[in-house]
Amino acid sequence: MEYPGGDESGIVFSGGGVRGMAHIGVIRALREYDLDPQWVSGSSVGALVGALYAADASVDAMLSFFKETPLFRYNFFSISKPGFIDTDRYYKLFESYWPDNSFEKLSRRLYVAATNLNLGQEAYFQSGELIRPLLASAALPPIFSPVAMGEALYADGGIMNNFPLEPIAPHCRYVIGSNVSVIGKVGSREIRSSIQLTNRTTALMIYAINRNKIHSCDLVFEPPELEKIGVLDKKGIERAYQIGYDHGRIVLDRARGNGQP
């Protein structure tokens, strides 16, 4: 399908921890091709990148956000909440990037996916306060504590929906998908420990649940090289970003050669 223009196009950013820096590389490539989707949906790290994109942040500002936001800080450890890190301690850090703290102040329509732990349901936020839904969407258990909103506790959007296509699909004629929870071939030596086995099976389950949605998009970015980057490895930020950009250029060059977008 031919790219219809910003108002009728959308983009979905998956969860995936540090691998989500590849989303930023994809955004850089899209901007170089003058592609500007106006509907945005994201889960976990994809929600954070999506909110920065929706706020018209530069690529440098996006990378700075993730480099400067600590994953672990001793005075952020939780004492009375479930989870090792108190997610609420990040609120002030987020305010410096989203000072208006409002969905309505963003330049693009944004949907943030989170998980309602009490009801066992996915939830989408698209209006009102912005920061607490963002904190909730990225609150990966058991590392980060759930975020209280109203009468419920909310946690990582990827628990229930790692690729939240649903909220923007009705509004878009053309949907771009950026998935960083990639699955590639691995050797038996890479599944030798219990941790490796858990990581592999979890990744397979997440991908299987979202595969059909990912490949229903009109344009898909899925850099296979990302599987070598650890989900919580902050040393992989620049590498993941570069992988996303290089992959984005290749996909867009190929798409343009085929007459789209």
Side-chain angles (χ1 to χ4, degrees):
M1 178 188 294
E2 184 177 349
Y3 185 75
D7 290 343
E8 296 181 286
S9 63
I11 187 164
V12 182
F13 296 111
S14 77
V18 172
R19 297 173 185 176
M21 302 309 96
H23 293 318
I24 303 174
V26 167
I27 289 170
R28 176 185 169 191
L30 289 172
R31 286 175 172 172
E32 290 178 357
Y33 274 72
D34 295 321
L35 302 179
D36 185 26
Q38 294 295 300
W39 296 84
V40 186
S41 183
S43 189
S44 195
V45 69
L48 301 179
V49 173
L52 290 165
Y53 170 71
D56 270 333
S58 67
V59 164
D60 287 343
M62 293 182 194
L63 288 172
S64 293
F65 170 80
F66 289 100
K67 289 177 180 178
E68 295 171 4
T69 301
L71 279 177
F72 305 104
R73 182 181 284 178
Y74 76 92
N75 59 333
F76 280 16
F77 278 95
S78 174
I79 298 174
S80 59
K81 297 180 180 180
F84 301 118
I85 305 293
D86 184 351
T87 304
D88 288 330
R89 299 298 297 272
Y90 288 88
Y91 193 96
K92 290 292 184 183
L93 295 173
F94 278 36
E95 275 189 320
S96 62
Y97 284 86
W98 296 282
D100 294 317
N101 191 18
S102 169
F103 279 89
E104 286 76 15
K105 293 294 185 179
L106 298 172
S107 301
R108 298 170 179 83
R109 303 281 188 91
L110 173 68
Y111 288 83
V112 171
T115 300
N116 184 318
L117 294 175
N118 301 83
L119 297 178
Q121 296 176 355
E122 59 194 88
Y124 302 115
F125 296 89
Q126 75 281 348
S127 63
E129 181 185 3
L130 173 65
I131 291 177
R132 294 193 72 77
L134 289 178
L135 290 171
S137 185
L140 177 67
I143 299 170
F144 299 100
S145 66
V147 175
M149 288 186 282
E151 299 298 318
L153 292 175
Y154 293 86
D156 196 289
I159 298 170
M160 299 291 291
N161 193 344
N162 200 52
F163 191 82
L165 170 64
E166 293 86 348
I168 68 168
H171 306 285
C172 302
R173 288 177 51 215
Y174 192 99
V175 178
I176 298 168
S178 183
N179 176 45
V180 299
S181 292
V182 295
I183 293 296
K185 294 181 180 179
V186 299
S188 297
R189 290 185 177 181
E190 296 174 81
I191 316 178
R192 299 178 68 177
S193 70
S194 297
I195 293 176
Q196 289 175 322
L197 175 62
T198 300
N199 290 341
R200 180 63 174 173
T201 53
T202 300
L204 289 171
M205 286 189 291
I206 291 172
Y207 189 76
I209 292 168
N210 293 284
R211 177 171 48 204
N212 290 338
K213 290 192 294 180
I214 293 166
H215 293 289
S216 72
C217 294
D218 298 286
L219 187 65
V220 177
F221 299 92
E222 277 191 306
E225 301 89 345
L226 290 175
E227 195 171 33
K228 303 298 183 183
I229 295 177
V231 172
L232 296 176
D233 180 12
K234 286 198 73 170
K235 294 180 181 178
I237 287 178
E238 284 288 349
R239 184 178 170 213
Y241 161 70
Q242 191 63 45
I243 287 172
Y245 175 67
D246 292 341
H247 178 78
R249 293 285 305 185
I250 291 170
V251 170
L252 288 167
D253 282 344
R254 185 184 304 127
R256 183 156 290 183
N258 292 331
Q260 65 151 153

